[in-house]
Amino acid sequence: LFVRVPYQLHGKDEKSYHAILQAIFMACGIDAQSEMPISHGRVDMLVELPELIYVIEIKLNASAESALAQIKKRKYFDALLHKGKTIILMGMSFERKPKMFDIETKVETIEP
């Protein structure tokens, strides 16, 4: 979906991509929480399904690995462990430069 958006409409900041993701989830009927506050930070996006929870950190022009590392370092998933669901940690990177656009993801799983 992102690569089909003309380059002139791509935002120059992370929140643009965050908003597009939020809209995609909403259009699919999936309840996604953005900027979910926790005791030691904010989770960029939390998507809870019947058997899975996705904890998503979004970066612009930084690696998906650094996004995943932030989730783990700040333990964004700790407050969700009591739910007994599989938790997917997902770092997403949107790289936007003149005449170039790329998306990278890194994923790890925490089993209940």
Side-chain angles (χ1 to χ4, degrees):
L1 292 172
F2 288 95
V3 297
R4 294 185 65 196
V5 174
Y7 74 91
Q8 304 95 318
L9 300 178
H10 278 259
K12 294 182 179 18
D13 52 16
E14 180 181 305
K15 66 184 175 185
S16 299
Y17 299 96
H18 190 139
I20 293 170
L21 266 180
Q22 179 72 36
I24 290 168
F25 284 123
M26 289 171 47
C28 293
I30 297 171
D31 185 27
Q33 298 177 43
S34 289
E35 299 294 331
M36 188 185 107
I38 57 174
S39 66
H40 49 282
R42 281 189 311 237
V43 178
D44 276 353
M45 188 165 286
L46 180 75
V47 178
E48 187 167 357
L49 302 171
E51 297 182 23
L52 295 171
I53 300 172
Y54 288 86
V55 177
I56 303 170
E57 179 65 27
I58 301 163
K59 297 289 183 196
L60 177 62
N61 295 331
S63 72
E65 190 62 50
S66 69
L68 185 59
Q70 181 176 327
I71 294 170
K72 294 189 297 186
K73 179 181 178 184
R74 296 187 183 170
K75 298 184 179 185
Y76 288 160
F77 52 87
D78 271 359
L80 306 166
L81 294 172
H82 74 281
K83 294 189 176 218
K85 296 181 180 185
T86 298
I87 300 172
I88 308 294
L89 311 178
M90 181 181 288
M92 294 188 77
S93 167
F94 296 91
E95 187 172 359
R96 182 188 183 281
K97 296 181 179 173
K99 309 230 184 220
M100 198 276 287
F101 178 75
D102 193 28
I103 302 170
E104 174 191 21
T105 59
K106 294 288 182 189
V107 177
E108 286 189 20
T109 302
I110 300 174
E111 296 294 337

